[in-house]
Amino acid sequence: TKPIFKSAARAGQRIVDRAHTAAVAAEKGHVRSLRFLASHGGDVNIRRSGDGWSILHFACGNNRPAAACVAVAFGGDTTAKT
């Protein structure tokens, strides 16, 4: 299990859904977690309400090139705008 899941469990937080978890994985650079979620039906093009950021935006906006590559490999829209 990746630290992202352990830290949420220790803090008593509930992991809301795959989209939120994938966004956090992309933001923090947890590539294995992101790949797992995307390969098990996670939508890499889902958008956060408010600013419209996708998984690819989270990866690029936080200087996580490996996470960005995973998002693109799983169909991340490279032309998406916020």
Side-chain angles (χ1 to χ4, degrees):
T1 305
K2 293 295 284 176
I4 188 173
F5 299 114
K6 289 180 183 176
S7 63
R10 275 197 304 269
Q13 299 171 342
R14 185 172 60 101
I15 296 174
V16 178
D17 59 33
R18 278 186 261 178
H20 173 76
T21 306
V24 172
E27 178 182 33
K28 302 295 182 186
H30 294 283
V31 176
R32 286 179 30 190
S33 297
L34 182 58
R35 187 178 298 116
F36 174 84
L37 293 164
S39 67
H40 287 85
D43 181 3
V44 294
N45 289 308
I46 196 159
R47 302 297 194 96
R48 179 170 69 177
S49 61
D51 61 10
W53 271 33
S54 68
I55 302 304
L56 189 53
H57 286 109
F58 279 102
C60 293
N62 290 283
N63 196 28
R64 306 293 185 183
C69 288
V70 171
V72 170
F74 280 93
D77 183 0
T78 59
T79 63
K81 296 182 171 96
T82 59

